[in-house]
Amino acid sequence: MSTFLGMPYAPRGVGHLRGEEPFPVAARAALGDTQLRRNLGKATRTIRAKRAAVVAELPDWEELRAAGQAIKQRTLAHLDHYLEQLESRVQEHGGTVHWARDANEANRIVTGLVRDTGADEVVKVKSIVTDEIGLNEALAGAGITAHETDLAELIVQLGHDRPSHILVPAIHRNRAEIREIFLREMADVDPGLTDTPAALAEAARLHLRRRFLSARVGISGANFAIAETGTLCVVESEGNGRMCLTLPDTLITVMGIEKVIPSWRDLEVFLQLLPRSSTGERMNPYTSLWTGVTPGDGPQRFHLVLLDNGRTAALADPAGRPALHCIRCSACLNVCPVYERTGGHAYGSVYPGPIGAVLSPQLTGVEDNASLPYASSLCGACFDACPVRIDIPSLLVHLRARHVEEAARSRRLPTAEAVAMAAASWVMASPGRYAAAQRAGRAGRALGRQGRIRRLPPPLSAWTAARDAPAPPAQTFREWWQHEHGNADGSAG
Ligand code: SF4
């Protein structure tokens, strides 16, 4: 285990939930990208203002949040029951349900299903969970081309890029950059394409329309699955999802097991919480709902792949479990001061921002994303914004503690941090030792300029590599007290 800027990290392998670089390293590079910071700052400021305006319209917003939290708590407490109910209802309506323990199993199932149709290309929508399992790469390995149809996902795919936001995967791109990508990657695009939103949208529309009309297989994620009727729900803003869900002969939906909700009444709560929190809209432009197969209407084959991939492990930790309440609205990303400055790529995880910092380590095991729970100032803005009241700061602290405990168990020698803490504890246990340490620390004033120390000698240099340390004051608090109030026995100081 190494440390960087005082934060622990272990070098990690390539994966969709595991980045190539730990957060502190990737964040430092991102912070140097002024264009990225400008793009992110503008986008998150705009979404924050829209969200705040529509949330303020609802006098019962806090009650709605509490209802959303209660529904998720109840569902996860009886997850086995609701999943089996969902499976039965989907099957009763002509669908087929598959259970996948992990990414490999899910990819094998989906690839096999596409192969069975004889298709060599698919259209995809609303499927961050398929990014989690690396489905596009698995399909490509089987000779099947996946076309993303969500506009932002399309920009990311054509740009040979990675998503950096849950809701707006191309948030790190501005219009000029998107125009360049379209001109470079779309074979039949108008060479006179401008970077106005209407022109870019029209270019994407023409490009995608051909895909929709020829694709025989659609692959989607799901926002919710209603156990009582076996109904799947996708919410989106463009209508591309509606085409993806209705035009192909075969529809394959890959869904994390935590997305199930018991009833339609529960959906009512989430359809109020989600659009306001995500896009800052009162209601969602396109809400698609389907139950199994309807003869002569829409896809005639429907497969639902229920994915675990670490979720039952998170479920087993009562303190970590609330991360599974997430409805992927992205409000926590938009208010996070860390996300706003570093962007999503620095997290090295499909799920970036505050929710990624608590979800990804639980899905992969804390050691595999050890730096993410430290990627927060614990300011609490994410908790205030979360429509299902996930206490992300407490989860972050819980995961930090888990990481420290797991690291301590696997190590024979104590870390420098553990030695420093033990020494501090010894010093603070005795007033005499504490006063002596303060006197000794005063020598550090020589290192200070204008009350700040910019560089401390090793091993304390890890602290000042990322921040200044305050220079010790000329007078300690105890000395000031003695001067002002006299000694404990009432004599003058
Ligand atoms: S943790 Fe809460 S705020 Fe963040 S994406 Fe999930 S539901 Fe939205």
Side-chain angles (χ1 to χ4, degrees):
M1 179 66 57
S2 313
T3 61
F4 186 91
L5 308 188
M7 289 186 262
Y9 74 86
R12 296 170 295 174
V14 178
H16 289 270
L17 280 168
R18 282 175 278 182
E20 294 168 38
E21 289 178 320
F23 180 83
V25 178
R28 171 163 280 207
L31 287 171
D33 186 340
T34 50
Q35 179 67 58
L36 173 75
R37 291 178 66 174
R38 257 199 307 277
N39 294 352
L40 280 170
K42 184 163 184 285
T44 53
R45 264 194 310 279
T46 306
I47 303 177
R48 276 201 302 270
K50 278 181 75 182
R51 176 194 167 274
V54 293
V55 163
E57 292 172 352
L58 287 189
D60 61 347
W61 179 250
E62 286 308 316
E63 286 80 1
L64 270 172
R65 289 178 77 209
Q69 180 186 30
I71 293 166
K72 285 289 182 181
Q73 283 170 341
R74 176 163 53 94
T75 309
L76 290 180
H78 306 286
L79 188 60
D80 51 346
H81 165 75
Y82 291 118
L83 286 172
E84 286 178 8
Q85 189 182 19
L86 175 70
E87 178 184 39
S88 302
R89 297 293 176 271
V90 170
Q91 288 170 343
E92 283 165 19
H93 289 92
T96 307
V97 177
H98 310 259
W99 298 81
R101 271 169 296 210
D102 56 25
N104 287 338
E105 205 164 18
N107 286 334
R108 221 174 17 250
I109 291 168
V110 176
T111 306
L113 291 171
V114 179
R115 270 205 184 119
D116 289 348
T117 68
D120 60 4
E121 58 178 8
V122 300
V123 285
K124 284 180 68 210
V125 75
K126 205 71 185 178
S127 52
I128 192 166
V129 74
T130 64
D131 292 338
E132 175 189 323
I133 60 177
L135 179 63
N136 285 9
E137 290 81 351
L139 289 171
I144 300 161
T145 306
H147 302 291
E148 298 292 348
T149 66
D150 176 274
L151 177 56
E153 293 273 8
L154 175 70
I155 295 164
V156 167
Q157 186 178 41
L158 292 178
H160 310 286
D161 200 354
R162 288 180 295 134
S164 67
H165 191 276
I166 291 174
L167 188 77
V168 198
I171 196 169
H172 54 288
R173 297 287 194 191
N174 63 23
R175 284 192 274 135
E177 291 172 306
I178 294 167
R179 173 179 169 273
E180 277 172 31
I181 292 170
F182 282 8
L183 285 173
R184 195 175 62 232
E185 300 289 332
M186 287 180 177
D188 41 8
V189 74
D190 175 4
L193 178 71
T194 68
D195 67 1
T196 62
L200 294 173
E202 180 63 9
R205 188 175 294 124
L206 292 172
H207 176 81
L208 288 172
R209 192 59 57 99
R210 285 186 283 278
R211 308 273 185 239
F212 287 129
L213 293 176
S214 64
R216 286 154 47 205
V217 180
I219 296 179
S220 82
N223 291 95
F224 307 100
I226 304 161
E228 68 177 354
T229 56
T231 304
L232 276 293
C233 175
V234 162
V235 297
E236 39 110 20
S237 301
E238 299 164 2
N240 292 341
R242 177 73 54 84
M243 292 207 255
C244 202
L245 297 166
T246 53
L247 290 176
D249 297 331
T250 300
L251 175 60
I252 303 167
T253 298
V254 184
M255 184 190 100
I257 53 175
E258 80 282 18
K259 294 293 184 73
V260 67
I261 56 173
S263 69
W264 283 82
R265 288 193 64 147
D266 300 321
L267 184 67
E268 177 205 336
V269 172
F270 293 116
L271 289 187
Q272 293 179 75
L273 289 171
L274 182 55
R276 282 185 158 84
S277 302
S278 55
T279 48
E281 290 165 310
R282 294 187 184 95
M283 67 180 283
N284 201 64
Y286 291 87
T287 302
S288 298
L289 296 144
W290 70 99
T291 309
V293 171
T294 304
D297 184 13
Q300 296 301 291
R301 278 172 292 279
F302 171 55
H303 296 272
L304 175 61
V305 181
L306 293 172
L307 177 73
D308 181 344
N309 207 32
R311 286 160 175 79
T312 48
L315 191 70
D317 177 357
R321 180 185 289 189
L324 297 177
H325 295 181
C326 176
I327 56 173
R328 309 280 190 269
C329 71
S330 72
C332 58
L333 278 66
N334 301 329
V335 297
C336 177
V338 176
Y339 177 88
E340 185 177 340
R341 284 158 182 79
T342 65
H345 290 160
Y347 291 78
S349 157
V350 163
Y351 303 107
I355 184 57
V358 295
L359 187 60
S360 297
Q362 295 200 79
L363 297 182
T364 60
V366 173
E367 275 303 300
D368 273 343
N369 272 298
S371 63
L372 288 190
Y374 298 85
S376 168
S377 63
L378 301 181
C379 70
C382 48
F383 183 24
D384 293 342
C386 179
V388 287
R389 290 181 47 81
I390 301 175
D391 184 354
I392 294 176
S394 295
L395 270 166
L396 290 164
V397 172
H398 168 68
L399 291 171
R400 290 179 190 185
R402 259 180 62 182
H403 165 254
V404 170
E405 284 161 15
E406 285 177 23
R409 268 199 297 277
S410 64
R411 185 187 303 118
R412 292 221 308 276
L413 292 173
T415 61
E417 184 186 12
V419 171
M421 287 297 159
S425 167
W426 181 78
V427 167
M428 289 180 185
S430 151
R433 286 198 289 264
Y434 186 64
Q438 284 186 316
R439 281 195 296 277
R442 201 175 293 158
R445 280 179 62 74
L447 300 171
R449 296 275 177 284
Q450 296 171 328
R452 312 226 136 255
I453 300 176
R454 304 215 187 281
R455 190 167 305 183
L456 283 166
L460 301 173
S461 51
W463 179 266
T464 48
R467 51 180 98 65
D468 294 343
Q475 188 181 39
T476 68
F477 174 77
R478 286 167 164 229
E479 289 164 346
W480 171 84
W481 184 269
Q482 201 171 22
H483 181 261
E484 295 293 316
H485 302 279
N487 294 324
D489 61 5
S491 61

